[in-house]
Amino acid sequence: GDPDRISRDDVTAFVQRVRDLGYAPSSIERKVASVKSFHKFLVREGITENHPTARLPLPKVPERLPDVISIEQAERLLSQPFPPGPVGYRDRAILEMLYGCGLRAGEIVSVDITDVDRETEFIRVYGKGDKEREVPVGGAALGALDEYLAHGRPFLRPRGTTRPPDPSALFLNVRGRRLTRQSVFVLVRRYGECVGIDVH
């Protein structure tokens, strides 16, 4: 069909269709990620300006986070108010990349600054066995990442010491060290509870 005429509702209907057909959550995730990557390619190549999947969250984030959350729940999770300050910018960027880009918690914490390519709008991530893949990041996720890099990360550093923050890690804790996977689980649970999503 004409890529200019594909709407977000069409993509949402597709996701619901494969879910109704009984596909495993991991299969649904791969299918949605493929659709998102395809539209990203079409936009990048100038074939269309239509990007209906730019803000479409993936329905699953594995590694002991909730097996499946609905697109409506993901929208609720991402559209809630975040606390002012660097931690709020960081947390919003993390949730956008988890649910908007389909990254796993372990991948999120392993991403380095040098893995982010703003020109191509891709992030290089490393999964199990250091298997490398490139993930498109656009729309709200890219905006949240830019805000974190400008207003969040520079202010996450050890207080009362001269020790500099971790120079390589993208996501830092309040002491300027690389964020742990367990910390990501905790913040997802906390923000989920704020909007009534049980993530235990």
Side-chain angles (χ1 to χ4, degrees):
D2 184 351
D4 289 327
R5 299 179 62 184
I6 298 173
S7 71
R8 181 177 175 134
D9 287 343
D10 292 330
V11 180
T12 302
F14 166 73
V15 174
Q16 190 60 53
R17 173 65 176 159
V18 294
R19 185 177 288 142
D20 291 343
L21 289 172
Y23 281 90
S26 57
S27 297
I28 298 172
E29 179 189 25
R30 284 193 298 273
K31 289 178 185 299
V32 178
S34 296
V35 172
K36 286 168 73 78
S37 296
F38 178 62
H39 280 283
K40 182 80 173 178
F41 167 78
L42 293 178
V43 172
R44 196 169 69 239
E45 294 299 313
I47 297 169
T48 181
E49 293 183 359
N50 181 33
H51 197 349
T53 62
R55 292 200 61 187
L56 181 71
L58 294 176
K60 175 179 178 286
V61 177
E63 295 190 51
R64 291 182 295 146
L65 292 176
D67 282 344
V68 179
I69 69 170
S70 69
I71 289 176
E72 183 272 330
Q73 286 177 314
E75 289 281 15
R76 211 163 67 215
L77 191 66
L78 298 175
S79 62
Q80 67 181 294
F82 287 83
V87 170
Y89 286 113
R90 181 202 66 193
D91 292 353
R92 178 173 172 238
I94 287 173
L95 290 178
E96 285 284 0
M97 290 174 68
L98 280 171
Y99 290 99
C101 302
L103 295 187
R104 296 169 173 85
E107 292 171 335
I108 281 276
V109 299
S110 67
V111 172
D112 287 339
I113 290 270
T114 54
D115 293 327
V116 179
D117 190 330
R118 281 297 283 99
E119 186 173 338
T120 62
E121 298 182 2
F122 274 80
I123 292 180
R124 186 169 55 250
V125 299
Y126 299 89
K128 294 178 181 178
D130 283 336
K131 186 176 181 182
E132 179 183 326
R133 66 189 179 109
E134 289 196 336
V135 178
V137 54
L142 187 62
L145 183 59
D146 284 344
E147 288 190 333
Y148 164 68
L149 289 173
H151 308 297
R153 192 182 185 281
F155 303 97
L156 296 171
R157 56 177 58 243
R159 292 181 182 176
T161 74
T162 57
R163 193 171 75 247
D166 188 310
S168 58
L170 176 60
F171 289 111
L172 305 176
N173 62 24
V174 294
R175 295 176 300 281
R177 314 316 296 168
R178 185 181 293 271
L179 201 65
T180 66
R181 197 171 67 167
Q182 187 59 38
S183 296
V184 173
F185 296 147
V186 169
L187 79 86
V188 169
R189 291 190 189 103
R190 186 172 70 246
Y191 284 103
E193 288 170 355
C194 288
V195 292
I197 300 171
D198 183 8
V199 294
H200 290 87

